[in-house]
Amino acid sequence: EEPTRQNISTPSLSNRRSWLHQQVITAALALATGVVARPLPAYAAYIDTLTTPPKITDQVYLDIEWVDSKSMKQQGRLVLGLFGELMPTTVDNFVTLCKTNQYAGTNFYRIISEYSIQGGAIGDETESGKTGTSSFGSSFEPDNFNIQHNQKGLVSMVKDRTGGVDSRFFIQFTDDGGWADDRYAAFGILLTEASFNVLKELEQLPVQPPKNNPKQPVKIVASGVL
């Protein structure tokens, strides 16, 4: 499931909120009947990156080329800090893909202003973001969904149809990313002022409806580890 205007605007009830609702019902029944039900599985509290910044264990970069609204070719670098302690498997996948330069030649295939930019579809010859390839070969389950999407520049994995993740990711344009909580796994954040300037320029690029594909290619030309 990729973020689109439709599923961003109408998010489903999260497992975490559903769990809280069930806990309230269970407690009420226990008070009324004296019967204590078997405890439901626990969910970890959200991790707020503003008040409790996760430790950055790795830094990687993506070099980008695009054509601006004046038909001028532009270049920029996104520097990402990754949360390897909180998201070890997800970060290991991303670091490996960057280190081996597998993102080179892929594009950012969807730009949804005020929401996110999506890219990294390794192995997708259509360049439409339909599929990706992880460093493990097949998709995998992300470590958790505990990081709250409340900060511009957060980087999260895009889910495939099975709920697994591969190489595709998105970067948040605004601080208000509640639509992604419990649905997409955040694992890193942009680090430098120059990176945020590039992100702002990419958000303003013209797109082609209905899937918000950039009208001109936005390419990752190189990636690596810092």
Side-chain angles (χ1 to χ4, degrees):
E1 179 193 21
E2 299 177 66
T4 64
R5 284 204 180 274
Q6 287 70 32
N7 64 30
I8 285 173
S9 301
T10 56
S12 59
L13 184 64
S14 72
N15 290 336
R16 199 181 307 257
R17 296 187 182 93
S18 178
W19 170 84
L20 179 60
H21 181 66
Q22 291 179 60
Q23 290 284 44
V24 171
I25 293 174
T26 299
L29 287 172
L31 288 172
T33 65
V35 177
V36 179
R38 180 178 295 180
L40 292 168
Y43 284 87
Y46 281 127
I47 296 169
D48 186 336
T49 60
L50 293 171
T51 59
T52 312
K55 180 180 179 180
I56 293 174
T57 58
D58 304 87
Q59 293 187 32
V60 299
Y61 67 87
L62 302 171
D63 287 337
I64 317 295
E65 287 186 354
W66 70 95
V67 177
D68 64 19
S69 58
K70 298 180 181 179
S71 299
M72 299 293 291
K73 190 174 181 179
Q74 302 292 338
Q75 296 179 327
R77 170 171 285 192
L78 300 176
V79 177
L80 291 67
L82 309 180
F83 310 139
E85 288 189 353
L86 290 175
M87 307 292 291
T89 304
T90 308
V91 166
D92 179 59
N93 172 64
F94 198 77
V95 168
T96 300
L97 294 175
C98 288
K99 187 176 183 179
T100 55
N101 203 27
Q102 292 190 57
Y103 280 119
T106 65
N107 64 339
F108 283 98
Y109 53 84
R110 183 170 293 119
I111 299 174
I112 307 176
S113 61
E114 300 182 357
Y115 289 99
S116 69
I117 182 169
Q118 302 164 37
I122 295 172
D124 180 9
E125 295 181 357
T126 68
E127 298 187 343
S128 62
K130 290 184 177 180
T131 186
T133 305
S134 77
S135 65
F136 311 117
S138 58
S139 64
F140 63 96
E141 185 73 18
D143 302 272
N144 58 68
F145 299 89
N146 293 336
I147 297 174
Q148 195 172 15
H149 293 77
N150 65 343
Q151 191 173 359
K152 180 171 65 174
L154 278 170
V155 187
S156 303
M157 297 303 291
V158 171
K159 294 190 296 186
D160 65 16
R161 293 181 179 180
T162 70
V165 298
D166 42 55
S167 58
R168 292 169 294 170
F169 62 93
F170 67 87
I171 305 174
Q172 205 169 302
F173 281 140
T174 66
D175 292 332
D176 183 10
W179 52 269
D181 289 345
D182 292 311
R183 301 173 71 185
Y184 302 100
F187 65 96
I189 192 166
L190 294 186
L191 290 181
T192 66
E193 182 178 355
S195 297
F196 281 96
N197 290 338
V198 170
L199 186 69
K200 183 177 180 180
E201 290 193 41
L202 297 181
E203 183 179 12
Q204 297 171 349
L205 293 177
V207 297
Q208 180 68 43
K211 294 189 175 182
N212 292 79
N213 311 116
K215 289 186 175 180
Q216 296 288 340
V218 181
K219 288 286 184 182
I220 299 175
V221 296
S223 65
V225 176
L226 296 172

